[in-house]
Amino acid sequence: MAAVVLAATRLLRGSRAWGRSRLRFGAPGYRQFSSGGAYPNIPLSAPLPGVPTPVFATVDSQEKFETKVTTLENGLRVASQNKFGQFCTVGILINSGSRYEAKYLSGIAHFLEKLAFSSTARFDSKDGILHTLERHGGICDCQASRDTTMYAVSADSKGLDTVVGLLAEVVLHPRLTEEEIEMARLAVQFELEDLNMRPDPEPLLTEMIHEAAYRENTVGLHRFCPPENIAKMDRAVLHSYLRNYYTPDRMVLAGVGIEHEHLVECARKYLLGARPAWGSGAAVDVDRSVAQYTGGVVKEADFIPFAVLNMMMGGGGSFSAGGPGKGMFTRLYLNVLNRHHWMYNATAYHHSYEDTGLLCIHASADPRQVREMVEIITKEFILMGGTVDVVELERAKTQLMSMLMMNLEARPVIFEDVGRQVLATRSRKLPHELCALIRDVRPEDIKRVASKMLRGKPAVAALGDLSDLPSYEHIQAALTSRDGRLPRTYRLFR
């Protein structure tokens, strides 16, 4: 202990006298200690002798009650989590989106996203909503995905009553005037043009891969409004959709940074028994279809000077919401594919939904190396169905847990995690529970899930110069072979 105190004293003296006598105070004491020279035979994984054992803060038994959920009489779920700070994030998540548009004009969810936070029965214009939020330092946002529409506000916690009342107005009482719908048409048109011109092809490829994996059903339906439907959108079409999908039993009011009882009180005040703008009639035409994975290929020639490929495997329960194996696969593939330096990009990720999911490999390279890029991906898929390297698996677990914990430090991310989990499963797994599930993943689990995926058809989306892209049949044959190699016709001159 005396040696530690002496070293600390020398360090403090050295910092004060650094400008006057750098050599006198800088050399013997703390430099040797910081470089490990004083303990040459002790590895970094072992504690230093003589250093007191650290005492860490402990979490009491209340942690399991951190996320509270209450279901109101009308079926609306209220979920909250306390978090210290002056601001809170509150929002309404709805089980709606483009996957439910099979019986409607495609693009309704896209339009509703653009129409969010416009005039309501209580607010004459969007400016009125923004001015109300400004009094509480608030900002707002709406995001529509394939299976969820989310209206969110971040503001001072003292304005919770105002925020929940505003959210109820925006969700249940939008005016949807002809002027607002026309402005939404222009916004949608601009976004579609921007989508086709932007240098990053990922959003377009995401649409293409879903279209290939789920032909004309559920999550395979277009998330963006097709150009031919823009002029067809009107108030009657929107109200017809809202009547069936904007119902209390399909909603979650989620909040982070507030008291649960206060949030429930506000929900009862503004959302219980409220009559929406489209009437209070019962939903009669709700699409309850289960996603049907089909596999297939969608490709598009483009003038970009490289070729981009998305290849997906999955479908069914292997990668549906709730399992940590999805993220484990993405970390394992990322570690392997990045060894090939000539690839412009090699990324592994997954899409998870309530009833299905997909593992995706996204890669890009020079058009002359497309064939080699495809073969590397197919070989790695086959290898994942064999022996899994234990060191790689442990590294993947560490990366996944680190990514999970770092992301959940931000309040808006915690809000979305709370809302989406409660919407899908009516409860929420806390971070330590997810980490426990990740630690429990074994090599045989990876092999089992990979083998199950390989028994299905792949989904392929390709964009760019595709003159050397192997045919879909040859890609499928490679994935059913022992070594993942493409048929011999593609290897004559190698």
Side-chain angles (χ1 to χ4, degrees), residues 271-474:
L271 293 167
L272 185 61
R275 180 182 174 84
W278 47 88
S280 56
V284 295
D285 200 17
V286 177
D287 186 358
R288 304 188 187 279
S289 302
V290 177
Q292 301 296 319
Y293 179 83
T294 61
V297 60
V298 174
K299 54 186 179 180
E300 182 176 327
D302 199 289
F303 294 107
I304 57 177
F306 54 91
V308 191
L309 177 76
N310 269 16
M311 187 181 297
M312 284 188 172
M313 300 292 294
S318 300
F319 290 92
S320 57
K326 312 178 297 293
M328 192 68 62
F329 269 99
T330 63
R331 309 320 299 176
L332 285 168
Y333 278 114
L334 186 61
N335 291 336
V336 173
L337 291 175
N338 282 341
R339 297 171 185 168
H340 304 283
H341 62 87
W342 49 265
M343 285 190 183
Y344 298 156
N345 178 38
T347 309
Y349 57 92
H350 62 271
H351 296 278
S352 297
Y353 302 99
E354 188 174 354
D355 54 350
T356 188
L358 291 168
L359 170 69
C360 177
I361 305 298
H362 173 100
S364 60
D366 187 282
R368 293 168 296 181
Q369 294 177 298
V370 169
R371 188 208 61 79
E372 187 176 359
M373 178 174 66
V374 171
E375 189 170 74
I376 287 172
I377 295 175
T378 55
K379 287 169 65 176
E380 294 301 334
F381 267 117
I382 295 297
L383 289 173
M384 291 302 294
T387 303
V388 178
D389 187 273
V390 177
V391 175
E392 290 280 3
L393 179 59
E394 290 303 316
R395 182 183 292 114
K397 289 181 181 182
T398 303
Q399 288 179 339
L400 184 57
M401 288 187 289
S402 174
M403 180 183 67
L404 174 70
M405 300 307 294
M406 285 190 294
N407 286 342
L408 289 176
E409 290 180 359
R411 187 184 63 253
V413 178
I414 299 174
F415 154 76
E416 187 171 351
D417 182 56
V418 170
R420 287 184 180 275
Q421 285 202 47
V422 174
L423 189 65
T425 66
R426 297 183 177 271
S427 62
R428 184 197 177 214
K429 284 185 171 62
L430 295 176
H432 73 274
E433 296 176 281
L434 295 175
C435 288
L437 292 173
I438 293 170
R439 294 189 193 97
D440 289 341
V441 175
R442 300 167 298 175
E444 50 265 36
D445 296 324
I446 300 294
K447 182 178 179 180
R448 171 178 51 82
V449 176
S451 300
K452 181 178 180 180
M453 286 192 299
L454 288 170
R455 290 195 294 268
K457 295 174 63 177
V460 180
L463 182 67
D465 183 349
L466 307 176
S467 54
D468 290 336
L469 178 70
S471 67
Y472 179 77
E473 291 74 20
H474 287 162

Side-chain angles (χ1 to χ4, degrees), residues 81-90 132-140 153-160 163 255-259 409-412 414-415:
Q81 177 178 319
N82 270 326
K83 183 175 176 63
F84 295 107
Q86 180 182 353
F87 285 83
C88 65
T89 299
V90 184
T132 301
L133 287 176
E134 284 176 0
R135 289 199 291 269
H136 300 283
I139 56 174
C140 61
V153 171
S154 289
D156 193 299
S157 302
K158 297 177 182 178
L160 179 63
V163 167
V256 176
I258 37 82
E259 293 291 337
E409 290 180 359
R411 187 184 63 253
I414 299 174
F415 154 76

Side-chain angles (χ1 to χ4, degrees), residues 371 487-494:
R371 188 208 61 79
R488 187 174 180 81
T489 54
Y490 280 90
R491 295 187 285 116
L492 289 175
F493 304 104
R494 286 182 57 77

Side-chain angles (χ1 to χ4, degrees), residues 1-13 29-30:
M1 186 65 185
V4 176
V5 174
L6 178 61
T9 304
R10 288 177 175 174
L11 176 61
L12 291 174
R13 287 177 179 173
Y30 75 90

